[in-house]
Amino acid sequence: MRRAILALVGTVAGLVILLAYKTAPGQHGARPVALSPIEPGGRTTPPTTTPPPSTTPSRKGSGPPKPTDTQAPRKVTANGPVINTQYGPVQVRVVLTGGHLTDVSAIQLPSDSPHSQQISSYARPLLRQEALAAGSAHIDIVSGATYTSTGYAQSLQAAIDSHHG
């Protein structure tokens, strides 16, 4: 009986410590191992770019010259490959502005069963938030959505790599 009480107290204490643990802002505990940019059978979509505004100087007498040193940062949209997971395909689209991750959205998440749909709807905003906070594919895995999280990180990394070529 005494051992059972000690084991229970130890378990509760460990759980409290684990739940109270917080990482410093901008740091993430779990880091994925080297990600392969394209899984076998995966597809990539070439990045599309938005050209910068025209910077051709105007001719004399045709109005004020256009500024050349105040160009807006280049904005690139790229789709990552489809990563086939145990529960279904995962694919993301990224927006990089001036080389920095400024938006990410899931194009595909597992949805072949009601359970997969529930997990995907729970994980979607958390994975997006993680990616934008990290500014990269070095994101924490969402509890209960390990395969989806891993596929998301792989597709995200490949989309970023396709831009940085």
Side-chain angles (χ1 to χ4, degrees), residues 30-113:
R31 300 280 186 232
V33 278
L35 302 174
S36 72
I38 302 175
E39 287 285 314
R43 299 182 316 235
T44 57
T45 303
T48 58
T49 61
T50 304
S54 174
T55 57
T56 308
S58 60
R59 293 188 180 139
K60 190 171 192 169
S62 65
K66 295 181 181 178
T68 58
D69 59 346
T70 58
Q71 293 180 3
R74 191 173 101 146
K75 184 176 181 179
V76 176
T77 301
N79 291 348
V82 175
I83 305 298
N84 291 310
T85 72
Q86 181 175 339
Y87 295 101
V90 177
Q91 182 181 24
V92 301
R93 175 176 293 137
V94 298
V95 176
L96 301 160
T97 306
H100 299 286
L101 183 65
T102 55
D103 196 16
V104 60
S105 57
I107 298 171
Q108 292 186 66
L109 290 176
S111 62
D112 62 341
S113 71

Side-chain angles (χ1 to χ4, degrees), residues 114-159:
H115 185 66
S116 290
Q117 290 172 5
Q118 182 181 20
I119 289 172
S120 293
S121 66
Y122 165 74
R124 180 186 305 264
L126 297 174
L127 290 167
R128 181 178 186 274
Q129 180 182 354
E130 281 284 323
L132 291 175
S136 71
H138 297 284
I139 59 175
D140 288 336
I141 291 174
V142 173
S143 179
T146 303
Y147 291 101
T148 299
S149 298
T150 302
Y152 192 98
Q154 289 175 341
S155 185
L156 176 59
Q157 184 66 56

